[in-house]
Amino acid sequence: MRNLFFILLMTIGCTACSGPTEDKWTKDRPKTYPVTGTVTFEGKPLEAATIVFQSTGGTPQAAVGRSDKEGHFQLRTFADGDGAIAGEHNVTITCIKTEGPPEGANLDEIDIVIKETSLIPKQYGDVKKSGLTATVTPDQNNQVTFDLEHKK
């Protein structure tokens, strides 16, 4: 009986120490490569912009990033900072200011109105009109810059 208990204990211990197992979803996902960059609007860093890379190749996969106050961003596909899959990408960028009820307002007593205002031309958020593209290359420094302006 003591040997059975010992074997059971060892089996549980070895299973717990073997580390995370790789599931089918994790194993089958495409390889990603780090991508960082900067986005500006009218020559100034664009804070709180959402940058989306949509692959144009055989594997439809999106990568997303959010710019900081200096306009810097890092893309994520599956995990923080993992980047995007290799190949050509169509790029969209949006930067929305959202206004809602005043702070402290009793939401039961007012009509809630949410106002969203784009801080950049809306074309940059449309994959067919943005005109933005990027190429992600394996094993290279994938650093991109997007200098946005009012479209004429």
Side-chain angles (χ1 to χ4, degrees):
M1 187 70 159
R2 184 190 279 245
N3 288 341
L4 182 59
F5 177 73
F6 180 73
I7 292 171
L8 181 61
L9 187 60
M10 289 301 292
T11 303
I12 292 171
C14 289
T15 303
C17 295
S18 65
T21 57
E22 188 172 64
D23 61 15
K24 181 179 176 0
W25 182 82
T26 303
K27 187 180 90 172
D28 291 343
R29 63 185 175 192
K31 183 155 178 50
T32 56
Y33 303 92
V35 178
T36 59
T38 304
V39 60
T40 63
F41 180 63
E42 298 292 325
K44 297 178 183 166
L46 186 60
E47 181 179 5
T50 300
I51 300 90
V52 178
F53 277 42
Q54 180 62 54
S55 63
T56 62
T59 305
Q61 188 66 59
V64 180
R66 185 116 169 128
S67 63
D68 63 16
K69 65 182 179 178
E70 287 88 30
H72 301 282
F73 65 90
Q74 184 175 33
L75 292 184
R76 167 199 177 111
T77 298
F78 304 109
D80 285 343
D82 66 349
I85 65 172
E88 298 295 319
H89 297 263
N90 290 320
V91 179
T92 58
I93 300 174
T94 55
C95 190
I96 308 293
K97 176 182 175 185
T98 304
E99 297 177 69
E103 219 174 290
N106 184 341
L107 300 180
D108 293 330
E109 296 177 356
I110 64 170
D111 288 330
I112 299 173
V113 177
I114 305 292
K115 180 181 176 187
E116 292 184 336
T117 306
S118 182
L119 301 178
I120 61 175
K122 291 182 181 181
Q123 297 94 317
Y124 290 117
D126 185 332
V127 72
K128 294 179 182 175
K129 297 179 183 177
S130 79
L132 304 173
T133 60
T135 302
V136 176
T137 308
D139 305 322
Q140 289 195 12
N141 182 9
N142 292 296
Q143 178 83 26
V144 294
T145 300
F146 296 105
D147 296 313
L148 309 182
E149 297 179 352
H150 281 288
K151 291 195 175 186
K152 307 216 183 315

